Amino acid sequence: MIMNTTLPTIVIRGAGDLATGVALRLYRAGLRNIVMLETLAPLAVRRTVAFSECIKHDTMTVEGVTAVCIDSANDTANAWAAGDIPVLVDPEATTLPDLQPEIVVDAIIAKRNLGTDMSMAPLVIGLGPGFVAGKDVHVVIETMRGHHLGRVITDGPAKPNTGIPGTIAGYSIERVCWAETSGIFTTAFNIGDTIGKGEELGRVDNTPVLAKVDGVIRGLLRNGTPVKNHTKLGDVDPRGTGSYCNLASDKAMAIGGGVLEAICNHIFMKRLL
């Protein structure tokens, strides 16, 4: 089943926008034996740059790279041969024994460890809070915006989750909309639309969700999505540049660079032994 190649098999848990940025960095660097594992109903807000969208649409192309939804681990080689990134519905990572990865990257971004450990592969990488390098993963990548974003941590944890989004164009918590109750999220907007401060982005059942800043809607859950209280619903970019909606973010690419650094170190150190 696994392609006969010297390239390592890399499993990425999660296929949201940050996981997609990681996959893009690895793919473009030539590390193309990638398999991504997702849930059946992903809640990615930045859907235009998330490979998780192929769960609904069968395929998803981001910045010229295509991901395809596959039915089983046996289909990975065909996807690789076509130059695509296969995505499996496998949130519990039960297919790891079949995939036999050299590297596992936990890019779920749950802000806590949902079951990833160092026994999963010779190199296990965790993104952001919830992981401790040297304890449950080999390496942690810093995900908090700022001076240390994308840094490779080989001993200890990433910075703790603050619950406050990173600042863009002077705005932080104002640019993100969350559900204030559980229910069905409905919206008449699409990603790429402009919205004004105070304008109704949508509703959770009968509760209005208002934009807190002027800008372009960079991320938005699909109309009709069931949500829980405090689910992230949308992301308004105050920079107002529509083209950013179709590009992986600077944060995603920086984190991807950290993952690439850790993987290259693993590969080259192994050759020296």
Side-chain angles (χ1 to χ4, degrees), residues 73-143:
N74 292 319
D75 299 323
T76 56
N78 289 336
W80 289 341
D84 299 329
I85 296 176
V87 179
L88 264 171
V89 175
D90 181 17
E92 304 300 324
T94 59
T95 54
L96 288 185
D98 296 323
L99 295 169
Q100 301 174 22
E102 172 77 13
I103 298 150
V104 169
V105 182
D106 189 317
I108 299 172
I109 316 294
K111 312 297 172 66
R112 57 194 177 95
N113 190 339
L114 298 179
T116 295
D117 64 75
M118 287 193 287
S119 69
M120 288 180 165
L123 176 63
V124 179
I125 302 170
L127 304 190
F131 303 101
V132 180
K135 182 180 178 183
D136 49 4
V137 296
H138 298 98
V139 170
V140 173
I141 307 299
E142 182 58 65
T143 59

Side-chain angles (χ1 to χ4, degrees), residues 91-263:
E92 304 300 324
T94 59
T95 54
L96 288 185
D98 296 323
L99 295 169
Q100 301 174 22
E102 172 77 13
I103 298 150
V104 169
V105 182
D106 189 317
I108 299 172
I109 316 294
K111 312 297 172 66
R112 57 194 177 95
N113 190 339
L114 298 179
T116 295
D117 64 75
M118 287 193 287
S119 69
M120 288 180 165
L123 176 63
V124 179
I125 302 170
L127 304 190
F131 303 101
V132 180
K135 182 180 178 183
D136 49 4
V137 296
H138 298 98
V139 170
V140 173
I141 307 299
E142 182 58 65
T143 59
M144 184 179 290
R145 285 186 182 273
H147 184 73
H148 298 285
L149 176 64
R151 297 270 180 175
V152 177
I153 301 166
T154 57
D155 183 21
K159 293 181 180 179
N161 178 34
T162 64
I164 301 173
T167 300
I168 294 179
Y171 294 95
S172 174
I173 200 166
E174 304 95 336
R175 62 184 181 81
V176 179
C177 296
W178 285 280
E180 296 180 0
T181 183
S182 298
I184 304 299
F185 175 64
T186 56
T187 180
F189 283 99
N190 294 303
I191 293 173
D193 291 345
T194 57
I195 193 168
K197 180 179 179 180
E199 194 171 352
E200 186 175 300
L201 176 70
R203 291 183 171 233
V204 177
D205 288 347
N206 294 318
T207 303
V209 179
L210 305 181
K212 300 179 183 67
V213 64
D214 299 331
V216 169
I217 300 172
R218 189 175 66 155
L220 188 67
L221 287 185
R222 190 175 285 106
N223 183 49
T225 300
V227 299
K228 296 179 180 178
N229 184 34
H230 207 64
T231 298
K232 186 177 179 180
L233 304 173
D235 176 358
V236 179
D237 189 337
R239 294 170 295 188
T241 304
S243 61
Y244 291 169
C245 298
N246 297 312
L247 297 171
S249 68
D250 53 346
K251 179 176 180 177
M253 299 306 281
I255 293 168
V259 173
L260 178 60
E261 176 186 329
I263 290 175

Side-chain angles (χ1 to χ4, degrees), residues 260-273:
L260 178 60
E261 176 186 329
I263 290 175
C264 287
N265 179 72
H266 170 78
I267 292 171
F268 294 135
M269 290 303 293
K270 188 172 153 185
R271 288 182 178 179
L272 292 174
L273 294 178

Side-chain angles (χ1 to χ4, degrees), residues 22-46:
V22 171
L24 288 173
R25 294 304 294 261
L26 301 183
Y27 186 93
R28 290 169 178 163
L31 296 166
R32 298 192 171 183
N33 283 10
I34 300 167
V35 185
M36 305 183 82
L37 309 181
E38 250 298 354
T39 64
L40 182 60
L43 286 175
V45 170
R46 293 207 62 208

